[in-house]
Amino acid sequence: MILENKIILVTGGTGSLGKVLVRRLLSGEKGMPRKIVIFSRGEDKQHDMRVAYVNNLLSFDEKDGAAF
């Protein structure tokens, strides 16, 4: 799979397109990335996105999993 064990940088990751891209990356349909790093100007949006994934969508280990 093309994204298996890759580190992926998403700029604008808390915008509408960035959120969809992150969801698609985490779906694993093209392989599961080792880490996803999200850059965004909105620190509050980054925090909200991180909390949403931590609480609802997946178990989270910052050292080994996706970084939000």
Side-chain angles (χ1 to χ4, degrees):
M1 303 294 257
I2 194 166
L3 299 176
E4 192 68 36
N5 208 28
K6 302 288 184 186
I7 298 173
I8 299 171
L9 170 66
V10 179
T11 59
T14 60
S16 56
L17 183 60
K19 286 180 185 179
V20 172
L21 176 59
V22 170
R23 273 196 304 263
R24 297 280 307 268
L25 291 169
L26 291 174
S27 75
E29 65 186 58
K30 300 287 185 185
M32 194 54 134
R34 179 169 42 137
K35 182 183 253 187
I36 300 172
V37 179
I38 298 173
F39 279 157
S40 174
R41 292 183 303 164
E43 186 176 328
D44 56 332
K45 289 181 181 181
Q46 287 178 353
H47 174 74
D48 292 344
M49 188 177 190
R50 179 182 205 149
V51 168
Y53 277 97
V54 168
N55 291 335
N56 298 321
L57 299 177
L58 44 103
S59 63
F60 183 78
D61 183 356
E62 193 167 274
K63 288 184 276 182
D64 298 324
F68 295 101

